[in-house]
Amino acid sequence: MQRQSQWVKAFEEGHAGERELLGGKGANLAEMTRAGLPVPPGFTITTDACRDYYRTDRKLPDGLMEEVFAKLTELESKQGKQFGVAPTPLLVSVRSGSVHSMPGMMDTILNVGLNDRTVEALAELTQNETFAYDCYRRLVQMFGNVVFGIEGMLFERQLHELKRERGVEQDRDVDAAGWKQLLERYSALIRRHARREFPQDVREQLTLAVEAVFRSWDNPRARVYRKVHHIPDSQGTAVNIQSMVFGNRGEDCGTGVVFTRDPSTGEKVLFGEFLTNAQGEDVVAGSRTPRPIAELAAEMPAVHGQLLATAEKLERHYRDMQDIEFTVETGTLYILQTRNGKRSAQASMKIGVDLVAVGVLTPEEAVLRAEPGHLDQLLHPTIASDAELDVLAVGLPASPGAATGQAVFDADTAERLAASGKRVILVRAETTPEDIHGVLAAQGVLTSRGGMTSHAAVVARGMGKPCVCGCEALAIDVEAGTLSVGGQVVREGDFVSIDGATGRVIRGSVQLKAAEMTAELQQLLVWADEFRTMKVMANADNPEDARKAREFGAQGIGLCRTEHMFLSPERLPIVQAMILAESKEGRMEALGQLLPMQRADFDGLFRAMDGLPVAIRLLDPPLHEFLPNMEELRAKWDDLQAAGAIDTAGSPASSELQQLERLMRKVKSLHEVNPMLGQRGCRLGILYPEIYEMQAEAVFLAIRDCMRDGVQVVPEVMIPLVGHVNELSLLRDMVERTAHHVLQEDLHRVAYKVGTMIEVPRAALTAGRIAECADFFSFGTNDLTQMTYGYSRDDAEGKFLSAYVDRELLPANPFQVLDTEGVGQLIELAVERGRRTRPGLKAGVCGEHGGDPQSIAYCHGIGLDYVSCSPFRVPLARIAAAQARLQQSAAPKASTEAAASLQMQAAQ
Ligand code: ADP
Ligand code: MG
Ligand code: MG
């Protein structure tokens, strides 16, 4: 009798490890059956069969249905019922179930095995004709929809009509005669649309149902879902054939869904809903409002108790929070499905830590399960998940977090209103350095132009401010103070909200949930720090960010971008004067004014990071970034001319005009065809040595001051954009001279380092030479990616990159996820050659990739010493670095898969 089956497996023959073969639902039904839980018996058609079906151009595999009917015979004897035969007809459900959960994407048919004869037998057997015909009409409806492809709405409409005629509100108030009448109409519907009868032959029913479930793998919504979740189309679905249990037999019956813990808070309470006298998907369908599970305790105390015990057992068994489907038939509990439950970020942390506390998980497992994306959500304010939103448009999600406030259209107004205690959102077509005070004052920034590295985006991310940029659907009229989109107008002072994690722009104010570092997150981070070997630094440009970074656990500052210090409203004019100076003397004078300011900046940073390294990068961007843009100047010029400045020489307007013209000449002379590859970074420092000298002097003066106050300073000076060792050699000499000059006899007490960004491919290739002059390498992977691919990021992201990713020409946006295959080669090569010259050379990544979990794992794998990311991503990076280490040490190679599947399961 026990013939080896090729395509089917009884529940008791399988187990949870056979997910790939049995699908998630089938594997878990098997596992629960083995564990002795009350699962209605049945069997699973494997995903192999589905793959075979598609391989043979949609033909059921040879021998499949023979095996199915053989297994069905076993099921009949187990249940003491016969399929399609009175007086005790066996009914089954035919359920889809893929490897990765795809909730609601595929189809399931209940009550297969009913026909005009067996329905009478069921009525007789249960002494409940209404129930029997309710089951039958459900079957015909689902069958018509799933097998014959008739729109579900058509059936629903008939049902509504019938209830109206009979003067009843609820399905449960329809009697047997009503269901019989509905069945007539359903049959007619099927005849009309499918041009055939509903099959009375139950074996034909089963065959068609199995095939329809296979087919549902390929329906459009399933295809879209797979694409979004990166599930391979080739995987196929399993089909579960399971003996029916009935929650619709009366008031001592019901069906529901429970989570073993609250999925939004993680609290350990049974959480869920149920309906009495209902079948299958009535709970989620929304036709009746389900009741909270707590009420089941009063109504069916024994069942509730059993459910609690089962929840506990399942959670321990699967070592994770479970999402469970159950049905109660005349007081008896059955479990129909279990899977790892989806949960909020907060719940996820709490559940992980709580499961360690009760000994279900080890700390290592809890850390491995933490989802970096969840951390990102936790550390920024978010929109309350139940908020109703009036979404106006969607732009680029440039800096995570949500913000709400009154729309303002210029930086000065933003500053003024914020000073009077108002919350504002700065709305600009695009932002320029001059808007910085507005950005600072605003809750968040919204622009209609610019990509993920546009000024607004970079600045906002650095400040941890929410930002949506490049939202091209918005028409922004600064003069009128309006923002319009699709016929809607938002005026200055109206409330708008943005969600920087999704790019949504929302009309009105929304309820925000504050970011919080919960006790559970702290605990996970403490564990992560024990496990990881790679350091996590922060990119920070001011003492406030530095303190924040430290609070989040940064072990130093990996990148301080000094240009951000030049952009404040009181400094920008001095910086501009420096740039406009016609002579070296003029330039020196302006630099002389900047020196004490820079000195104070560095002083603040060193004090905030007392005892930890601080890497200061000398000025990087081309000078024209500090000047207004040409269009603006031209507009001003036109205005002045119109005001008649020309005719009245000597008037104030005339001298203004002269100044303006001088500025325009300078802007023109600094104009570059391709600024990314132009005069910036060390090239600037070499041609205008006095700028770098001023910065170096400020660094060492601050060091001297801090040391005198007992602050432990660990300074690093970083030279950007080096491509040839000679550039670095020259600038290193300058730094050393300055150190000597400022520190004098204190010099030997300061172990400062001089290093370089590796961001030009030539620097990576000649790293062996460059290391002769560098104490450390900091990979500037943003620029390195631009130059390796030959993409200018703003142009690429604005134009072709998303099309490339959509069409799978690239696996991901290389500015978000490090291109390990290409850019990675340069990094590995540079580390190897650099360390050959200088053993133990410190190396890390300070580009945006330093905050991306996948890239962090790679950095760990190739032996980098640290990653540096924005303060808000520091906790995420700590977890990701620990995960990388744990995955690596578990068992090389295979372990990464195991951990990935663990994470994948946790995510489902
Ligand atoms: P989905 O994957 O869309 O949840 P399911 O296969 O889980 O589809 O089934 C849909 C509904 O039918 C669920 O509520 C499930 O509990 C119920 N159901 C499935 N099989 C049976 C059965 N044999 N007896 C009773 N209810 C069932
Ligand atoms: Mg289900
Ligand atoms: Mg760079």
Side-chain angles (χ1 to χ4, degrees):
M1 164 125 177
Q2 272 289 335
R3 199 171 56 87
Q4 191 60 41
S5 310
Q6 187 183 358
W7 307 112
V8 297
K9 237 177 171 180
F11 291 166
E12 57 274 20
E13 295 168 341
H15 59 85
E18 293 181 299
R19 233 188 145 78
E20 299 279 328
L21 187 66
L22 303 178
K25 198 183 285 171
N28 285 340
L29 284 167
E31 184 81 7
M32 290 195 291
T33 302
R34 285 183 166 236
L37 289 165
V39 176
F43 54 90
T44 304
I45 301 175
T46 65
T47 54
D48 279 344
C50 183
R51 284 191 291 271
D52 190 273
Y53 171 79
Y54 280 103
R55 212 168 20 240
T56 57
D57 218 6
R58 305 190 177 213
K59 211 169 78 28
L60 289 181
D62 287 341
L64 171 65
M65 289 316 290
E66 285 77 2
E67 286 186 16
V68 166
F69 289 121
K71 273 277 184 272
L72 197 63
T73 309
E74 289 173 30
L75 193 59
E76 285 177 330
S77 47
K78 212 177 285 170
Q79 298 295 86
K81 294 179 179 173
Q82 282 88 46
F83 191 54
V85 179
T88 48
L90 173 70
L91 305 191
V92 296
S93 59
V94 180
R95 317 173 65 184
S96 56
S98 52
V99 178
H100 305 283
S101 122
M102 295 170 48
M105 295 301 128
M106 288 181 295
D107 296 315
T108 282
I109 303 176
L110 304 181
N111 308 328
V112 171
L114 280 176
N115 57 24
D116 294 348
R117 275 171 294 111
T118 51
V119 70
E120 283 296 330
L122 184 64
E124 183 68 22
L125 192 70
T126 56
Q127 288 298 299
N128 191 340
E129 194 183 22
T130 308
F131 153 71
Y133 278 91
D134 177 36
C135 291
Y136 196 17
R137 65 95 191 173
R138 286 174 190 264
L139 167 65
V140 175
Q141 172 165 354
M142 280 186 260
F143 203 92
N145 176 233
V146 174
V147 177
F148 295 142
I150 303 168
E151 230 185 299
M153 261 308 293
L154 298 175
F155 292 98
E156 287 297 328
R157 216 175 280 155
Q158 297 284 356
L159 174 59
H160 261 97
E161 186 63 15
L162 179 98
K163 284 193 286 186
R164 202 184 51 78
E165 285 167 20
R166 305 206 136 226
V168 298
E169 293 262 317
Q170 306 282 350
D171 293 3
R172 64 207 298 179
D173 299 328
V174 179
D175 59 13
W179 291 137
K180 284 180 189 171
Q181 203 179 350
L182 186 65
L183 272 160
E184 304 261 309
R185 297 183 190 180
Y186 278 1
S187 298
L189 203 62
I190 288 183
R191 222 170 286 132
R192 188 159 63 247
H193 288 270
R195 297 222 174 73
R196 60 159 296 176
E197 296 289 328
F198 171 77
Q200 291 294 315
D201 175 353
V202 294
R203 291 168 68 102
E204 186 184 1
Q205 282 178 16
L206 189 60
T207 310
L208 290 175
V210 167
E211 192 178 350
V213 172
F214 279 167
R215 243 184 358 244
S216 74
W217 171 257
D218 203 36
N219 73 33
R221 63 178 194 275
R223 279 211 302 266
V224 170
Y225 187 92
R226 284 199 294 275
K227 189 156 183 221
V228 173
H229 291 88
H230 306 289
I231 299 171
D233 286 333
S234 58
Q235 208 165 49
T237 182
V239 183
N240 301 289
I241 296 177
Q242 185 174 28
S243 173
M244 284 299 300
V245 289
F246 302 101
N248 56 334
R249 274 181 73 175
E251 290 307 316
D252 57 351
C253 304
T255 183
V257 175
V258 286
F259 287 77
T260 54
R261 289 167 197 251
D262 184 326
S264 51
T265 64
E267 204 192 327
K268 190 169 192 283
V269 287
L270 202 58
F271 179 96
E273 294 171 328
F274 76 106
L275 273 175
T276 51
N277 201 2
Q279 187 174 48
E281 291 176 314
D282 291 356
V283 172
V284 279
S287 49
R288 277 161 68 193
T289 310
R291 297 158 56 193
I293 203 74
E295 290 180 17
L296 191 68
E299 199 146 325
M300 303 181 192
V303 169
H304 186 263
Q306 237 181 312
L307 198 55
L308 266 178
T310 308
E312 184 74 33
K313 185 167 177 180
L314 281 173
E315 197 178 87
R316 289 210 162 242
H317 190 83
Y318 285 99
R319 309 169 73 229
D320 201 357
M321 184 257 258
Q322 296 294 297
D323 164 357
I324 303 165
E325 283 176 8
F326 69 93
T327 283
V328 181
E329 181 173 348
T330 51
T332 307
L333 174 71
Y334 295 95
I335 306 297
L336 287 158
Q337 191 174 335
T338 194
R339 60 183 164 207
N340 293 343
K342 298 230 189 284
R343 65 207 72 183
S344 73
Q346 192 197 334
S348 153
M349 304 297 148
K350 181 164 169 54
I351 290 169
V353 172
D354 287 357
L355 287 177
V356 173
V358 295
V360 170
L361 292 184
T362 62
E364 285 87 344
E365 288 169 319
V367 168
L368 273 173
R369 273 192 197 179
E371 278 179 66
H374 273 159
L375 283 155
D376 212 17
Q377 274 176 43
L378 274 184
L379 296 171
H380 294 280
T382 49
I383 295 177
S385 54
D386 52 357
E388 280 213 13
L389 306 178
D390 179 1
V391 176
L392 291 172
V394 179
L396 295 172
S399 175
T404 200
Q406 288 170 279
V408 295
F409 295 85
D410 68 279
D412 293 340
T413 313
E415 196 173 38
R416 195 162 40 74
L417 288 184
S420 69
K422 297 228 163 73
R423 298 171 151 265
V424 300
I425 302 286
L426 180 63
V427 184
R428 302 283 287 159
E430 62 196 351
T431 69
T432 66
E434 278 122 302
D435 290 331
I436 186 86
H437 57 297
V439 176
L440 207 61
Q443 302 294 313
V445 182
L446 170 61
T447 74
S448 59
R449 283 203 294 267
M452 303 280 281
T453 44
S454 62
H455 183 72
V458 171
V459 170
R461 270 200 296 280
M463 293 179 183
K465 278 201 195 217
C467 173
V468 173
C469 62
C471 188
E472 295 187 0
L474 305 180
I476 292 168
D477 185 337
V478 176
E479 302 279 282
T482 59
L483 167 172
S484 33
V485 51
Q488 295 214 59
V489 179
V490 175
R491 282 170 222 291
E492 181 160 306
D494 290 354
F495 275 88
V496 283
S497 305
I498 55 172
D499 181 353
T502 62
R504 289 178 299 179
V505 180
I506 298 146
R507 191 181 189 105
S509 63
V510 296
Q511 192 72 38
L512 297 186
K513 266 184 16 203
E516 49 190 329
M517 192 83 156
T518 58
E520 286 84 17
L521 177 52
Q522 299 274 23
Q523 176 62 71
L524 278 174
L525 288 168
V526 168
W527 286 329
D529 291 348
E530 279 170 31
F531 305 144
R532 73 189 159 91
T533 48
M534 197 165 61
K535 288 197 167 154
V536 175
M537 312 283 207
N539 298 348
D541 314 323
N542 56 63
E544 199 188 319
D545 284 356
R547 272 189 292 275
K548 186 101 236 158
R550 216 175 169 156
E551 209 178 287
F552 282 152
Q555 293 162 288
I557 291 180
L559 173 62
C560 164
R561 299 179 174 94
T562 48
E563 55 271 22
H564 290 178
M565 298 167 165
F566 285 179
L567 292 169
S568 69
E570 66 277 11
R571 296 193 193 175
L572 194 58
I574 308 176
V575 175
Q576 292 179 343
M578 185 264 289
I579 296 170
L580 294 174
E582 307 284 355
S583 64
K584 183 163 177 180
E585 288 67 44
R587 207 154 42 238
M588 293 294 283
E589 197 196 309
L591 285 168
Q593 288 181 60
L594 286 172
L595 177 67
M597 299 175 176
Q598 281 263 275
R599 180 177 177 176
D601 294 331
F602 299 142
D603 191 87
L605 275 179
F606 290 141
R607 284 173 205 270
M609 299 310 284
D610 190 356
L612 298 175
V614 176
I616 292 167
R617 179 179 72 180
L618 303 184
L619 199 65
D620 181 51
L623 293 178
H624 65 78
E625 281 199 13
F626 298 98
L627 298 178
N629 72 39
M630 202 57 166
E631 279 120 81
E632 253 172 69
L633 294 175
R634 240 179 234 129
K636 236 186 232 167
W637 192 82
D638 289 345
D639 287 350
L640 280 175
Q641 265 212 328
I646 304 235
D647 306 330
T648 42
S651 73
S654 154
S655 81
E656 208 183 324
L657 190 74
Q658 274 172 15
Q659 257 192 352
L660 191 62
E661 282 172 348
R662 201 158 67 96
L663 189 57
M664 286 167 77
R665 271 198 303 279
K666 193 74 191 181
V667 169
K668 206 161 161 194
S669 80
L670 287 175
H671 172 79
E672 289 175 322
V673 176
N674 192 340
M676 186 189 89
L677 302 174
Q679 179 160 304
R680 49 174 289 219
C682 65
R683 303 159 196 174
L684 194 71
I686 287 169
L687 284 183
Y688 299 98
E690 52 281 3
I691 299 180
Y692 273 21
E693 274 162 17
M694 179 281 285
Q695 290 197 295
E697 192 176 342
V699 169
F700 289 105
L701 284 169
I703 292 172
R704 201 182 64 190
D705 297 343
C706 287
M707 279 192 352
R708 285 189 183 155
D709 292 346
V711 177
Q712 215 190 320
V713 192
V714 190
E716 300 179 347
V717 178
M718 188 143 93
I719 313 292
L721 221 72
V722 164
H724 194 289
V725 63
N726 290 347
E727 293 171 313
L728 184 60
S729 162
L730 182 86
L731 290 169
R732 185 180 181 112
D733 284 350
M734 179 280 291
V735 173
E736 282 174 352
R737 255 194 334 271
T738 311
H740 186 79
H741 163 76
V742 173
L743 294 174
Q744 309 264 348
E745 66 276 13
D746 287 337
L747 184 63
H748 68 278
R749 293 178 46 215
V750 186
Y752 71 88
K753 288 192 166 110
V754 181
T756 180
M757 299 275 276
I758 302 283
E759 50 190 340
V760 174
R762 193 184 187 284
L765 293 168
T766 60
R769 292 294 319 277
I770 290 190
E772 290 165 13
C773 300
D775 301 322
F776 63 89
F777 282 175
S778 174
F779 290 94
T781 49
N782 294 356
D783 269 311
L784 192 58
T785 301
Q786 295 202 88
M787 301 205 199
T788 303
Y789 260 112
Y791 293 167
S792 120
R793 180 171 181 178
D794 279 347
D795 294 320
E797 286 185 332
K799 299 210 163 70
F800 56 86
L801 208 48
S802 56
Y804 267 38
V805 175
D806 280 349
R807 292 168 61 182
E808 294 178 6
L809 293 173
L810 295 178
N813 176 343
F815 294 103
Q816 283 164 10
V817 180
L818 191 71
D819 161 40
T820 55
E821 190 187 10
V823 178
Q825 277 197 47
L826 284 172
I827 299 177
E828 287 172 49
L829 185 135
V831 171
E832 196 221 298
R833 293 188 183 171
R835 285 186 179 158
R836 219 184 290 153
T837 302
R838 196 182 281 253
L841 174 81
K842 174 169 157 181
V845 157
C846 68
E848 262 173 74
H849 302 100
D852 168 64
Q854 217 174 308
S855 313
I856 292 171
Y858 171 76
C859 292
H860 170 83
I862 61 166
L864 292 187
D865 298 299
Y866 70 92
V867 291
S868 189
C869 56
S870 93
F872 289 89
R873 292 188 86 82
V874 165
L876 178 156
R878 288 162 70 191
I879 297 271
Q883 289 178 337
R885 165 75 201 290
L886 289 170
Q887 284 170 8
Q888 187 189 44
S889 57
K893 207 145 188 96
S895 71
T896 5
E897 272 163 42
S901 89
L902 193 65
Q903 273 187 316
M904 190 205 75
Q905 283 175 25
Q908 276 174 19

